[in-house]
PDB file of all heavy atoms in Angstrom:
ATOM      1  N   HIS Y   1     -21.570  -3.069   1.684  1.00  0.00           N
ATOM      2  CA  HIS Y   1     -22.291  -4.344   1.812  1.00  0.00           C
ATOM      3  C   HIS Y   1     -21.520  -5.326   2.709  1.00  0.00           C
ATOM      4  O   HIS Y   1     -21.935  -6.390   2.969  1.00  0.00           O
ATOM      5  CB  HIS Y   1     -22.504  -4.988   0.459  1.00  0.00           C
ATOM      6  CG  HIS Y   1     -23.358  -4.165  -0.501  1.00  0.00           C
ATOM      7  ND1 HIS Y   1     -24.644  -3.866  -0.310  1.00  0.00           N
ATOM      8  CD2 HIS Y   1     -22.966  -3.543  -1.653  1.00  0.00           C
ATOM      9  CE1 HIS Y   1     -25.050  -3.152  -1.337  1.00  0.00           C
ATOM     10  NE2 HIS Y   1     -24.025  -2.928  -2.101  1.00  0.00           N
ATOM     11  N   GLY Y   2     -20.359  -4.812   3.200  1.00  0.00           N
ATOM     12  CA  GLY Y   2     -19.643  -5.582   4.208  1.00  0.00           C
ATOM     13  C   GLY Y   2     -18.478  -6.432   3.735  1.00  0.00           C
ATOM     14  O   GLY Y   2     -17.805  -7.011   4.520  1.00  0.00           O
ATOM     15  N   GLY Y   3     -18.276  -6.468   2.418  1.00  0.00           N
ATOM     16  CA  GLY Y   3     -17.238  -7.352   1.902  1.00  0.00           C
ATOM     17  C   GLY Y   3     -15.826  -6.611   1.924  1.00  0.00           C
ATOM     18  O   GLY Y   3     -15.736  -5.455   2.289  1.00  0.00           O
ATOM     19  N   ALA Y   4     -14.780  -7.358   1.523  1.00  0.00           N
ATOM     20  CA  ALA Y   4     -13.516  -6.806   1.471  1.00  0.00           C
ATOM     21  C   ALA Y   4     -13.423  -5.717   0.282  1.00  0.00           C
ATOM     22  O   ALA Y   4     -14.164  -5.890  -0.659  1.00  0.00           O
ATOM     23  CB  ALA Y   4     -12.497  -7.873   1.232  1.00  0.00           C
ATOM     24  N   HIS Y   5     -12.724  -4.643   0.618  1.00  0.00           N
ATOM     25  CA  HIS Y   5     -12.579  -3.614  -0.394  1.00  0.00           C
ATOM     26  C   HIS Y   5     -11.107  -3.403  -0.727  1.00  0.00           C
ATOM     27  O   HIS Y   5     -10.297  -3.410   0.131  1.00  0.00           O
ATOM     28  CB  HIS Y   5     -13.158  -2.330   0.136  1.00  0.00           C
ATOM     29  CG  HIS Y   5     -13.027  -1.131  -0.756  1.00  0.00           C
ATOM     30  ND1 HIS Y   5     -13.817  -0.971  -1.877  1.00  0.00           N
ATOM     31  CD2 HIS Y   5     -12.338  -0.052  -0.651  1.00  0.00           C
ATOM     32  CE1 HIS Y   5     -13.484   0.145  -2.486  1.00  0.00           C
ATOM     33  NE2 HIS Y   5     -12.598   0.701  -1.841  1.00  0.00           N
ATOM     34  N   ARG Y   6     -10.881  -3.220  -2.044  1.00  0.00           N
ATOM     35  CA  ARG Y   6      -9.469  -3.020  -2.442  1.00  0.00           C
ATOM     36  C   ARG Y   6      -9.281  -1.650  -3.023  1.00  0.00           C
ATOM     37  O   ARG Y   6     -10.055  -1.160  -3.829  1.00  0.00           O
ATOM     38  CB  ARG Y   6      -9.011  -4.102  -3.376  1.00  0.00           C
ATOM     39  CG  ARG Y   6      -9.070  -5.472  -2.803  1.00  0.00           C
ATOM     40  CD  ARG Y   6      -8.537  -6.554  -3.818  1.00  0.00           C
ATOM     41  NE  ARG Y   6      -7.103  -6.432  -3.969  1.00  0.00           N
ATOM     42  CZ  ARG Y   6      -6.170  -6.957  -3.130  1.00  0.00           C
ATOM     43  NH1 ARG Y   6      -6.603  -7.644  -2.077  1.00  0.00           N
ATOM     44  NH2 ARG Y   6      -4.842  -6.880  -3.316  1.00  0.00           N
ATOM     45  N   HIS Y   7      -8.145  -1.034  -2.658  1.00  0.00           N
ATOM     46  CA  HIS Y   7      -7.794   0.280  -3.272  1.00  0.00           C
ATOM     47  C   HIS Y   7      -6.271   0.445  -3.218  1.00  0.00           C
ATOM     48  O   HIS Y   7      -5.607  -0.431  -2.625  1.00  0.00           O
ATOM     49  CB  HIS Y   7      -8.474   1.514  -2.552  1.00  0.00           C
ATOM     50  CG  HIS Y   7      -8.060   1.642  -1.100  1.00  0.00           C
ATOM     51  ND1 HIS Y   7      -6.879   2.254  -0.746  1.00  0.00           N
ATOM     52  CD2 HIS Y   7      -8.708   1.385  -0.025  1.00  0.00           C
ATOM     53  CE1 HIS Y   7      -6.732   2.295   0.518  1.00  0.00           C
ATOM     54  NE2 HIS Y   7      -7.821   1.732   0.987  1.00  0.00           N
ATOM     55  N   THR Y   8      -5.710   1.391  -3.950  1.00  0.00           N
ATOM     56  CA  THR Y   8      -4.272   1.571  -3.924  1.00  0.00           C
ATOM     57  C   THR Y   8      -3.742   2.335  -2.786  1.00  0.00           C
ATOM     58  O   THR Y   8      -4.432   3.215  -2.255  1.00  0.00           O
ATOM     59  CB  THR Y   8      -3.800   2.216  -5.232  1.00  0.00           C
ATOM     60  OG1 THR Y   8      -4.440   3.461  -5.276  1.00  0.00           O
ATOM     61  CG2 THR Y   8      -4.249   1.336  -6.444  1.00  0.00           C
ATOM     62  N   VAL Y   9      -2.518   2.148  -2.396  1.00  0.00           N
ATOM     63  CA  VAL Y   9      -1.844   2.934  -1.478  1.00  0.00           C
ATOM     64  C   VAL Y   9      -0.362   3.138  -2.009  1.00  0.00           C
ATOM     65  O   VAL Y   9       0.106   2.375  -2.819  1.00  0.00           O
ATOM     66  CB  VAL Y   9      -1.661   2.321  -0.017  1.00  0.00           C
ATOM     67  CG1 VAL Y   9      -3.043   2.077   0.560  1.00  0.00           C
ATOM     68  CG2 VAL Y   9      -0.895   0.940  -0.204  1.00  0.00           C
ATOM     69  N   VAL Y  10       0.145   4.319  -1.675  1.00  0.00           N
ATOM     70  CA  VAL Y  10       1.507   4.634  -2.142  1.00  0.00           C
ATOM     71  C   VAL Y  10       2.473   4.673  -0.946  1.00  0.00           C
ATOM     72  O   VAL Y  10       2.192   5.386  -0.012  1.00  0.00           O
ATOM     73  CB  VAL Y  10       1.551   5.982  -2.861  1.00  0.00           C
ATOM     74  CG1 VAL Y  10       2.912   6.400  -3.421  1.00  0.00           C
ATOM     75  CG2 VAL Y  10       0.462   6.008  -4.055  1.00  0.00           C
ATOM     76  N   MET Y  11       3.553   3.968  -1.056  1.00  0.00           N
ATOM     77  CA  MET Y  11       4.540   3.910   0.006  1.00  0.00           C
ATOM     78  C   MET Y  11       5.352   5.156   0.003  1.00  0.00           C
ATOM     79  O   MET Y  11       5.804   5.695  -1.000  1.00  0.00           O
ATOM     80  CB  MET Y  11       5.406   2.764  -0.146  1.00  0.00           C
ATOM     81  CG  MET Y  11       4.718   1.421  -0.174  1.00  0.00           C
ATOM     82  SD  MET Y  11       3.646   1.092   1.311  1.00  0.00           S
ATOM     83  CE  MET Y  11       2.528  -0.128   0.643  1.00  0.00           C
ATOM     84  N   ARG Y  12       5.629   5.653   1.255  1.00  0.00           N
ATOM     85  CA  ARG Y  12       6.566   6.910   1.342  1.00  0.00           C
ATOM     86  C   ARG Y  12       7.987   6.456   1.123  1.00  0.00           C
ATOM     87  O   ARG Y  12       8.403   5.347   1.702  1.00  0.00           O
ATOM     88  CB  ARG Y  12       6.447   7.474   2.756  1.00  0.00           C
ATOM     89  CG  ARG Y  12       5.317   8.475   2.847  1.00  0.00           C
ATOM     90  CD  ARG Y  12       5.657   9.762   2.171  1.00  0.00           C
ATOM     91  NE  ARG Y  12       4.686  10.818   2.224  1.00  0.00           N
ATOM     92  CZ  ARG Y  12       4.539  11.702   3.178  1.00  0.00           C
ATOM     93  NH1 ARG Y  12       5.433  11.680   4.217  1.00  0.00           N
ATOM     94  NH2 ARG Y  12       3.630  12.630   3.189  1.00  0.00           N
ATOM     95  N   PRO Y  13       8.749   7.237   0.406  1.00  0.00           N
ATOM     96  CA  PRO Y  13      10.191   6.853   0.177  1.00  0.00           C
ATOM     97  C   PRO Y  13      10.920   6.766   1.549  1.00  0.00           C
ATOM     98  O   PRO Y  13      10.612   7.480   2.409  1.00  0.00           O
ATOM     99  CB  PRO Y  13      10.712   7.914  -0.781  1.00  0.00           C
ATOM    100  CG  PRO Y  13       9.381   8.583  -1.336  1.00  0.00           C
ATOM    101  CD  PRO Y  13       8.355   8.429  -0.321  1.00  0.00           C
ATOM    102  N   LYS Y  14      12.018   5.953   1.489  1.00  0.00           N
ATOM    103  CA  LYS Y  14      12.970   5.877   2.569  1.00  0.00           C
ATOM    104  C   LYS Y  14      12.320   5.435   3.903  1.00  0.00           C
ATOM    105  O   LYS Y  14      12.603   5.958   4.933  1.00  0.00           O
ATOM    106  CB  LYS Y  14      13.663   7.107   2.767  1.00  0.00           C
ATOM    107  CG  LYS Y  14      14.538   7.532   1.576  1.00  0.00           C
ATOM    108  CD  LYS Y  14      15.265   8.954   1.703  1.00  0.00           C
ATOM    109  CE  LYS Y  14      16.033   9.261   0.546  1.00  0.00           C
ATOM    110  NZ  LYS Y  14      16.808  10.594   0.626  1.00  0.00           N
ATOM    111  N   THR Y  15      11.302   4.656   3.792  1.00  0.00           N
ATOM    112  CA  THR Y  15      10.660   4.052   4.978  1.00  0.00           C
ATOM    113  C   THR Y  15      10.749   2.597   5.033  1.00  0.00           C
ATOM    114  O   THR Y  15      11.058   1.959   4.018  1.00  0.00           O
ATOM    115  CB  THR Y  15       9.107   4.402   5.042  1.00  0.00           C
ATOM    116  OG1 THR Y  15       8.452   3.889   3.809  1.00  0.00           O
ATOM    117  CG2 THR Y  15       8.889   5.920   5.016  1.00  0.00           C
ATOM    118  N   ARG Y  16      10.453   2.013   6.218  1.00  0.00           N
ATOM    119  CA  ARG Y  16      10.458   0.591   6.244  1.00  0.00           C
ATOM    120  C   ARG Y  16       9.416  -0.049   5.354  1.00  0.00           C
ATOM    121  O   ARG Y  16       9.534  -1.048   4.778  1.00  0.00           O
ATOM    122  CB  ARG Y  16      10.070   0.155   7.758  1.00  0.00           C
ATOM    123  CG  ARG Y  16      10.108  -1.344   7.977  1.00  0.00           C
ATOM    124  CD  ARG Y  16       9.952  -1.732   9.459  1.00  0.00           C
ATOM    125  NE  ARG Y  16      11.208  -1.548  10.085  1.00  0.00           N
ATOM    126  CZ  ARG Y  16      11.446  -0.806  11.145  1.00  0.00           C
ATOM    127  NH1 ARG Y  16      10.456  -0.051  11.567  1.00  0.00           N
ATOM    128  NH2 ARG Y  16      12.541  -0.699  11.673  1.00  0.00           N
ATOM    129  N   LEU Y  17       8.225   0.664   5.220  1.00  0.00           N
ATOM    130  CA  LEU Y  17       7.198   0.090   4.376  1.00  0.00           C
ATOM    131  C   LEU Y  17       7.700   0.093   2.868  1.00  0.00           C
ATOM    132  O   LEU Y  17       7.406  -0.831   2.168  1.00  0.00           O
ATOM    133  CB  LEU Y  17       5.936   1.032   4.450  1.00  0.00           C
ATOM    134  CG  LEU Y  17       4.894   0.682   5.539  1.00  0.00           C
ATOM    135  CD1 LEU Y  17       4.310  -0.814   5.277  1.00  0.00           C
ATOM    136  CD2 LEU Y  17       5.452   0.799   6.933  1.00  0.00           C
ATOM    137  N   ALA Y  18       8.413   1.155   2.454  1.00  0.00           N
ATOM    138  CA  ALA Y  18       8.934   1.099   1.183  1.00  0.00           C
ATOM    139  C   ALA Y  18       9.905   0.089   0.873  1.00  0.00           C
ATOM    140  O   ALA Y  18      10.107  -0.557  -0.211  1.00  0.00           O
ATOM    141  CB  ALA Y  18       9.584   2.532   0.864  1.00  0.00           C
ATOM    142  N   GLU Y  19      10.742  -0.262   1.885  1.00  0.00           N
ATOM    143  CA  GLU Y  19      11.678  -1.326   1.838  1.00  0.00           C
ATOM    144  C   GLU Y  19      11.016  -2.650   1.624  1.00  0.00           C
ATOM    145  O   GLU Y  19      11.535  -3.537   0.878  1.00  0.00           O
ATOM    146  CB  GLU Y  19      12.623  -1.418   3.048  1.00  0.00           C
ATOM    147  CG  GLU Y  19      13.529  -0.256   3.196  1.00  0.00           C
ATOM    148  CD  GLU Y  19      14.344  -0.302   4.554  1.00  0.00           C
ATOM    149  OE1 GLU Y  19      14.129  -1.279   5.307  1.00  0.00           O
ATOM    150  OE2 GLU Y  19      15.106   0.592   4.836  1.00  0.00           O
ATOM    151  N   ILE Y  20       9.885  -2.872   2.298  1.00  0.00           N
ATOM    152  CA  ILE Y  20       9.140  -4.077   2.125  1.00  0.00           C
ATOM    153  C   ILE Y  20       8.310  -4.249   0.950  1.00  0.00           C
ATOM    154  O   ILE Y  20       8.291  -5.173   0.204  1.00  0.00           O
ATOM    155  CB  ILE Y  20       8.268  -4.270   3.436  1.00  0.00           C
ATOM    156  CG1 ILE Y  20       9.157  -4.383   4.657  1.00  0.00           C
ATOM    157  CG2 ILE Y  20       7.313  -5.554   3.283  1.00  0.00           C
ATOM    158  CD1 ILE Y  20       8.324  -4.338   5.900  1.00  0.00           C
ATOM    159  N   TYR Y  21       7.563  -3.132   0.564  1.00  0.00           N
ATOM    160  CA  TYR Y  21       6.559  -3.221  -0.513  1.00  0.00           C
ATOM    161  C   TYR Y  21       7.121  -2.564  -1.790  1.00  0.00           C
ATOM    162  O   TYR Y  21       6.543  -2.790  -2.857  1.00  0.00           O
ATOM    163  CB  TYR Y  21       5.285  -2.482  -0.106  1.00  0.00           C
ATOM    164  CG  TYR Y  21       4.361  -3.237   0.809  1.00  0.00           C
ATOM    165  CD1 TYR Y  21       4.548  -3.048   2.210  1.00  0.00           C
ATOM    166  CD2 TYR Y  21       3.362  -3.924   0.351  1.00  0.00           C
ATOM    167  CE1 TYR Y  21       3.820  -3.737   3.152  1.00  0.00           C
ATOM    168  CE2 TYR Y  21       2.503  -4.685   1.236  1.00  0.00           C
ATOM    169  CZ  TYR Y  21       2.747  -4.570   2.557  1.00  0.00           C
ATOM    170  OH  TYR Y  21       1.931  -5.339   3.505  1.00  0.00           O
ATOM    171  N   GLY Y  22       8.273  -1.919  -1.676  1.00  0.00           N
ATOM    172  CA  GLY Y  22       8.755  -1.143  -2.887  1.00  0.00           C
ATOM    173  C   GLY Y  22       8.185   0.264  -2.794  1.00  0.00           C
ATOM    174  O   GLY Y  22       7.224   0.582  -2.189  1.00  0.00           O
ATOM    175  N   PRO Y  23       8.769   1.189  -3.656  1.00  0.00           N
ATOM    176  CA  PRO Y  23       8.438   2.500  -3.652  1.00  0.00           C
ATOM    177  C   PRO Y  23       7.175   2.862  -4.412  1.00  0.00           C
ATOM    178  O   PRO Y  23       6.736   4.075  -4.326  1.00  0.00           O
ATOM    179  CB  PRO Y  23       9.710   3.147  -4.331  1.00  0.00           C
ATOM    180  CG  PRO Y  23      10.230   2.202  -5.221  1.00  0.00           C
ATOM    181  CD  PRO Y  23       9.868   0.800  -4.587  1.00  0.00           C
ATOM    182  N   SER Y  24       6.672   2.005  -5.133  1.00  0.00           N
ATOM    183  CA  SER Y  24       5.479   2.280  -5.947  1.00  0.00           C
ATOM    184  C   SER Y  24       4.206   1.996  -5.246  1.00  0.00           C
ATOM    185  O   SER Y  24       4.180   1.629  -4.045  1.00  0.00           O
ATOM    186  CB  SER Y  24       5.529   1.417  -7.309  1.00  0.00           C
ATOM    187  OG  SER Y  24       5.586   0.035  -7.014  1.00  0.00           O
ATOM    188  N   GLU Y  25       3.087   2.114  -5.912  1.00  0.00           N
ATOM    189  CA  GLU Y  25       1.770   1.917  -5.354  1.00  0.00           C
ATOM    190  C   GLU Y  25       1.405   0.449  -5.409  1.00  0.00           C
ATOM    191  O   GLU Y  25       1.827  -0.341  -6.376  1.00  0.00           O
ATOM    192  CB  GLU Y  25       0.699   2.800  -5.927  1.00  0.00           C
ATOM    193  CG  GLU Y  25       0.320   2.391  -7.394  1.00  0.00           C
ATOM    194  CD  GLU Y  25      -0.688   3.393  -7.999  1.00  0.00           C
ATOM    195  OE1 GLU Y  25      -0.826   4.528  -7.539  1.00  0.00           O
ATOM    196  OE2 GLU Y  25      -1.554   2.890  -8.792  1.00  0.00           O
ATOM    197  N   VAL Y  26       0.662  -0.044  -4.465  1.00  0.00           N
ATOM    198  CA  VAL Y  26       0.248  -1.400  -4.461  1.00  0.00           C
ATOM    199  C   VAL Y  26      -1.368  -1.431  -4.090  1.00  0.00           C
ATOM    200  O   VAL Y  26      -1.866  -0.383  -3.444  1.00  0.00           O
ATOM    201  CB  VAL Y  26       0.945  -2.309  -3.390  1.00  0.00           C
ATOM    202  CG1 VAL Y  26       2.329  -2.382  -3.801  1.00  0.00           C
ATOM    203  CG2 VAL Y  26       0.670  -1.749  -1.914  1.00  0.00           C
ATOM    204  N   ARG Y  27      -2.009  -2.432  -4.427  1.00  0.00           N
ATOM    205  CA  ARG Y  27      -3.453  -2.574  -4.169  1.00  0.00           C
ATOM    206  C   ARG Y  27      -3.551  -3.380  -2.894  1.00  0.00           C
ATOM    207  O   ARG Y  27      -2.993  -4.452  -2.670  1.00  0.00           O
ATOM    208  CB  ARG Y  27      -4.249  -3.276  -5.241  1.00  0.00           C
ATOM    209  CG  ARG Y  27      -4.413  -2.330  -6.407  1.00  0.00           C
ATOM    210  CD  ARG Y  27      -5.152  -2.916  -7.504  1.00  0.00           C
ATOM    211  NE  ARG Y  27      -6.604  -3.190  -7.060  1.00  0.00           N
ATOM    212  CZ  ARG Y  27      -7.507  -2.221  -7.189  1.00  0.00           C
ATOM    213  NH1 ARG Y  27      -7.213  -1.022  -7.568  1.00  0.00           N
ATOM    214  NH2 ARG Y  27      -8.711  -2.374  -6.775  1.00  0.00           N
ATOM    215  N   VAL Y  28      -4.298  -2.885  -1.860  1.00  0.00           N
ATOM    216  CA  VAL Y  28      -4.489  -3.566  -0.517  1.00  0.00           C
ATOM    217  C   VAL Y  28      -5.949  -3.820  -0.271  1.00  0.00           C
ATOM    218  O   VAL Y  28      -6.789  -3.211  -0.869  1.00  0.00           O
ATOM    219  CB  VAL Y  28      -3.852  -2.730   0.573  1.00  0.00           C
ATOM    220  CG1 VAL Y  28      -2.351  -2.596   0.396  1.00  0.00           C
ATOM    221  CG2 VAL Y  28      -4.568  -1.391   0.595  1.00  0.00           C
ATOM    222  N   SER Y  29      -6.176  -4.788   0.635  1.00  0.00           N
ATOM    223  CA  SER Y  29      -7.527  -5.122   1.055  1.00  0.00           C
ATOM    224  C   SER Y  29      -7.853  -4.481   2.377  1.00  0.00           C
ATOM    225  O   SER Y  29      -7.117  -4.798   3.322  1.00  0.00           O
ATOM    226  CB  SER Y  29      -7.626  -6.551   1.156  1.00  0.00           C
ATOM    227  OG  SER Y  29      -8.900  -7.016   1.661  1.00  0.00           O
ATOM    228  N   SER Y  30      -8.749  -3.598   2.457  1.00  0.00           N
ATOM    229  CA  SER Y  30      -9.211  -2.960   3.668  1.00  0.00           C
ATOM    230  C   SER Y  30     -10.632  -2.711   3.782  1.00  0.00           C
ATOM    231  O   SER Y  30     -11.347  -2.802   2.751  1.00  0.00           O
ATOM    232  CB  SER Y  30      -8.393  -1.622   3.868  1.00  0.00           C
ATOM    233  OG  SER Y  30      -8.892  -0.674   2.839  1.00  0.00           O
TER     234      SER Y  30
END
């Protein structure tokens, strides 16, 4: 329907993304 959609993502260990978001999963808007 065109609205924002949220789902989980899991950060890869030992990456810049993991340093920023932490090593666990987070819910993102995409």
Side-chain angles (χ1 to χ4, degrees):
H1 303 293
H5 177 72
R6 297 186 72 82
H7 63 78
T8 60
V9 299
V10 180
M11 305 300 161
R12 272 289 179 89
K14 299 180 181 180
T15 60
R16 178 173 285 121
L17 271 299
E19 291 175 3
I20 295 169
Y21 285 88
S24 59
E25 67 178 35
V26 297
R27 290 184 66 82
V28 297
S29 175
S30 66

